[in-house]
């Protein structure tokens, strides 16, 4: 990911949400004590999600435990809770068309509405857009760095390259 692309990714951060950096999720605190949760556009850019399988409404989930699974053609990815909560609603539109997560991650592509159960204690782990950008930038740069030439045989494939 070149510097220009990194800047574009950071500029695309939604400023109206809080971010859970370790889970790559966002949280929008709603009136009435509920919160809406979704995947960040950084995760959504991985694209080609084929299936969204949430845990059932009513399920209590501890922070960093599984809210459900998203699947691509190659892998299943656990959706880790950015805060302890009870699931009160799952976005039916995303269950029917998981590509909404890719197309509109901060609006139509939301995944869960939840009742936070430890927000006072866990809110400190959520970052605003500026803090998340500072956290994210070096990680994006690391991913975009060219591979290190280890002096190996130029005719051989690197380990794991299929």
């Amino acid at each position: 990911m070149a510097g220009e692309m990194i800047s574009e990714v950071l500029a695309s951060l939604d400023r109206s949400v809080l971010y859970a950096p370790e889970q790559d999720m966002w949280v929008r605190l709603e009136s009435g004590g509920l919160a809406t949760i979704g995947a960040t556009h950084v995760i959504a850019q991985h694209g080609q999600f084929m299936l969204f399988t949430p845990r059932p409404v009513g399920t209590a989930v501890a922070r960093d435990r599984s809210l459900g699974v998203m699947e691509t053609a190659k892998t299943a990815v656990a959706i880790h809770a950015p805060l302890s909560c009870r699931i009160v609603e799952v976005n039916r539109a995303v269950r029917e068309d998981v590509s909404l997560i890719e197309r509109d991650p901060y609006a139509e592509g939301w995944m869960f509405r939840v009742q936070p159960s430890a927000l006072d204690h866990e809110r400190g782990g959520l970052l605003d857009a500026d803090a998340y950008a500072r956290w994210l930038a070096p990680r994006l740069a690391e991913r975009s760095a060219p591979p290190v030439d280890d002096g190996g045989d130029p005719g051989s494939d690197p380990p794991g390259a299929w």
Side-chain angles (χ1 to χ4, degrees):
M1 187 175 292
E4 186 175 303
M5 286 189 67
I6 292 172
S7 295
E8 184 179 313
V9 168
L10 297 177
S12 297
L13 292 173
D14 186 317
R15 304 194 77 68
S16 71
V17 301
L18 298 171
Y19 292 89
E22 297 297 330
Q23 294 84 10
D24 289 314
M25 301 295 285
W26 58 263
V27 175
R28 180 176 292 118
L29 300 175
E30 310 286 353
S31 61
L34 296 180
T36 301
I37 296 175
T40 67
H41 71 288
V42 177
I43 290 298
Q45 287 177 341
H46 290 287
Q48 299 182 345
F49 291 114
M50 300 171 65
L51 188 62
F52 167 52
T53 308
R55 293 186 72 184
V57 168
T59 302
V61 180
R63 182 183 174 279
D64 213 25
R65 302 302 292 176
S66 176
L67 285 166
V69 176
M70 288 191 311
E71 295 181 33
T72 68
K74 295 182 180 184
T75 188
V77 179
I79 304 164
H80 295 281
L83 44 85
S84 298
C85 60
R86 184 178 53 80
I87 300 170
V88 297
E89 183 182 358
V90 172
N91 188 344
R92 180 182 305 250
V94 168
R95 287 195 72 182
E96 294 171 3
D97 180 7
V98 73
S99 70
L100 282 174
I101 295 170
E102 299 161 42
R103 292 194 320 265
D104 196 6
Y106 299 105
E108 288 184 48
W110 65 272
M111 301 166 82
F112 301 93
R113 287 230 167 75
V114 301
Q115 177 66 59
S117 56
L119 186 59
D120 290 343
H121 176 70
E122 296 173 345
R123 185 174 175 140
L126 300 175
L127 306 178
D128 67 18
D130 292 333
Y132 182 58
R134 288 189 298 274
W135 181 90
L136 186 59
R139 286 154 183 85
L140 293 174
E142 185 177 291
R143 276 197 236 159
S144 69
V148 175
D149 182 2
D150 66 359
D153 177 7
S156 67
D157 289 334
W162 299 78

